[in-house]
Amino acid sequence: MNYRGGAKQYDRIDARIMEVVQKNNRLTSDVIGDQVGLSATACQRRLKRLRSEGIIESDVSIVSAEAIGRPIQMLVLVTLERERIDIIDKFKKKIKSSPEITTGFYITGDADFLLYITARSMKDYEEFTRRFFYENQHIKSVKTMVVVDRVKAGFALPVDLPHEN
Amino acid sequence: MNYRGGAKQYDRIDARIMEVVQKNNRLTSDVIGDQVGLSATACQRRLKRLRSEGIIESDVSIVSAEAIGRPIQMLVLVTLERERIDIIDKFKKKIKSSPEITTGFYITGDADFLLYITARSMKDYEEFTRRFFYENQHIKSVKTMVVVDRVKAGFALPVDLPHEN
DNA sequence: ACTGAAAACAATTGCGA
DNA sequence: TCGCAATTGTTTTCAGT
């Protein structure tokens, strides 16, 4: 999607609505409307548009890692042997198909990928890495960082107005 | 919350429900029920319990970083000069109060923190880092990695059964 | 603990401003 | 684009199994 097309994407009120639903998307339109000074109807219409235009990408439940018995959280920097497109694409597919990997970033800098991984226990994590990393031929190096504390959770973004408005 | 209390937390069907709502929490109970082989009512009751017990932590909208004009995404490893509790706590507070920082992890390993930061442009990012990092006295080093591609988004976890069941 | 029907509640659509 | 009122659809409650 190209967001540079001249048409305006969202206004100040939309931004406020997004601030609210990024924290909680199960509030009724009535409640959201109260918070942004709009009727439930108007609020709902805006939300519908924001969703259909992909400005709101998706709506999801966040499950507690601890509650489902995955208290171990790791951040892993992975460097591949070479930066060849086919190797990178294959690695991306592996990431997507591995449920243990919650989030994966393809990056530039010291490493090629950063992975966010959860596990039931250290033993489980080690088993997974053995399987995942040592079975993959093109990994040059792996650097594991143990997550002690998630200071800020989620992907909430600071929705201010686009500069052109 | 302590999840080690003997009582069972969730069963196979709950796990399937969570798999569904982690992808999309706006489906009607009727649809979710279909997918897990349950009536809308039963499904609803389970969701209510999962939420009230904190197994489902929260329900949020995910906003597209590109759509709101924040195409620049960075991962930043920060090392503090000393690992003193008060310095760490102060830094955590700074993270929480900075809207540019979407996610912050306190970690062990090569660095003390990993930050996920979005920005409108490289210029904006540089301005932010100057402000944030160079104004903070206790930072020893900063290593920036540019995000080229988010291979896997969100915090969706692999909900299988707890081992004791 | 589940289902199904009825009641309560929320979202959506049509219309006038 | 808004708000209001009417319609449609979803969730919740309640009785029965």
Side-chain angles (χ1 to χ4, degrees):
Chain A
M1 207 170 275
N2 177 14
Y3 293 102
R4 275 144 214 185
K8 114 165 170 325
Q9 297 291 328
Y10 58 92
D11 64 16
R12 193 179 313 273
I13 299 175
D14 292 323
R16 304 230 354 246
I17 291 175
M18 286 192 270
E19 260 164 35
V20 174
V21 295
Q22 276 192 126
K23 291 197 206 101
N24 184 355
N25 76 349
R26 303 188 72 247
L27 300 171
T28 63
S29 303
D30 206 47
V31 172
I32 302 170
D34 270 8
Q35 298 193 35
V36 305
L38 226 58
S39 75
T41 308
C43 204
Q44 192 70 236
R45 263 197 294 251
R46 281 162 178 272
L47 275 167
K48 192 174 181 179
R49 186 186 71 87
L50 292 168
R51 291 193 170 110
S52 74
E53 304 204 343
I55 298 172
I56 291 177
E57 228 174 58
S58 62
D59 289 88
V60 302
S61 296
I62 310 272
V63 170
S64 157
E66 290 77 24
I68 61 162
R70 301 193 144 258
I72 308 290
Q73 293 162 52
M74 299 288 188
L75 289 162
V76 185
L77 285 167
V78 179
T79 309
L80 300 183
E81 262 167 8
R82 315 139 152 274
E83 300 198 17
R84 249 176 47 202
I85 289 261
D86 58 328
I87 294 176
I88 289 168
D89 281 354
K90 221 177 135 196
F91 195 73
K92 285 186 183 175
K93 274 194 197 116
K94 270 218 164 189
I95 292 172
K96 279 186 196 146
S97 67
S98 301
E100 298 89 346
I101 304 176
T102 296
T103 319
F105 296 98
Y106 177 42
I107 59 182
T108 67
D110 270 23
D112 296 314
F113 287 91
L114 179 82
L115 309 180
Y116 177 56
I117 298 179
T118 63
R120 295 198 167 280
S121 64
M122 268 306 200
K123 188 167 145 282
D124 267 29
Y125 175 70
E126 275 154 21
E127 261 168 41
F128 169 72
T129 48
R130 242 200 315 281
R131 236 184 339 104
F132 188 82
F133 296 120
Y134 292 78
E135 271 179 12
N136 189 314
Q137 295 306 328
H138 298 291
I139 292 174
K140 187 162 118 199
S141 77
V142 169
K143 192 171 276 180
T144 296
M145 299 169 287
V146 181
V147 176
V148 179
D149 182 16
R150 215 157 75 183
V151 180
K152 217 174 186 175
F155 275 112
L157 297 168
V159 185
D160 44 19
L161 280 179
H163 275 165
E164 56 264 34
N165 289 13
Chain B
M1 207 168 278
N2 176 13
Y3 293 103
R4 275 146 217 184
K8 105 161 179 325
Q9 296 292 329
Y10 58 92
D11 63 15
R12 195 180 310 275
I13 299 176
D14 292 323
R16 303 229 357 244
I17 292 175
M18 285 192 269
E19 260 165 36
V20 174
V21 296
Q22 276 192 126
K23 291 197 206 103
N24 184 355
N25 76 349
R26 303 188 72 248
L27 299 172
T28 63
S29 302
D30 205 47
V31 173
I32 301 170
D34 270 8
Q35 297 194 34
V36 304
L38 226 57
S39 74
T41 310
C43 201
Q44 194 82 232
R45 253 200 308 261
R46 282 162 178 271
L47 276 166
K48 192 174 180 180
R49 186 186 70 90
L50 292 168
R51 290 192 170 110
S52 74
E53 304 203 346
I55 299 172
I56 292 177
E57 228 175 58
S58 63
D59 289 89
V60 302
S61 296
I62 309 273
V63 170
S64 158
E66 290 77 25
I68 61 164
R70 300 192 146 260
I72 308 289
Q73 294 162 53
M74 299 287 189
L75 289 162
V76 185
L77 284 168
V78 178
T79 308
L80 300 183
E81 262 168 7
R82 315 140 152 273
E83 299 197 19
R84 249 176 47 202
I85 290 262
D86 59 327
I87 295 177
I88 289 168
D89 281 354
K90 222 177 135 196
F91 195 74
K92 284 185 183 177
K93 273 194 196 114
K94 270 218 161 186
I95 292 172
K96 280 186 195 145
S97 67
S98 301
E100 298 90 344
I101 303 177
T102 297
T103 318
F105 296 98
Y106 176 43
I107 57 182
T108 67
D110 271 22
D112 295 315
F113 287 91
L114 178 82
L115 309 179
Y116 177 57
I117 298 179
T118 62
R120 295 198 165 283
S121 64
M122 269 309 203
K123 187 165 145 286
D124 268 29
Y125 174 71
E126 275 154 20
E127 260 168 41
F128 169 73
T129 48
R130 245 200 312 282
R131 234 183 342 104
F132 187 82
F133 297 119
Y134 293 78
E135 272 178 12
N136 189 314
Q137 295 306 329
H138 298 290
I139 291 174
K140 188 163 120 199
S141 78
V142 168
K143 192 170 277 180
T144 296
M145 298 168 288
V146 181
V147 175
V148 179
D149 181 16
R150 215 158 75 184
V151 180
K152 216 173 187 175
F155 275 111
L157 297 168
V159 186
D160 44 22
L161 280 181
H163 275 166
E164 57 265 35
N165 292 12

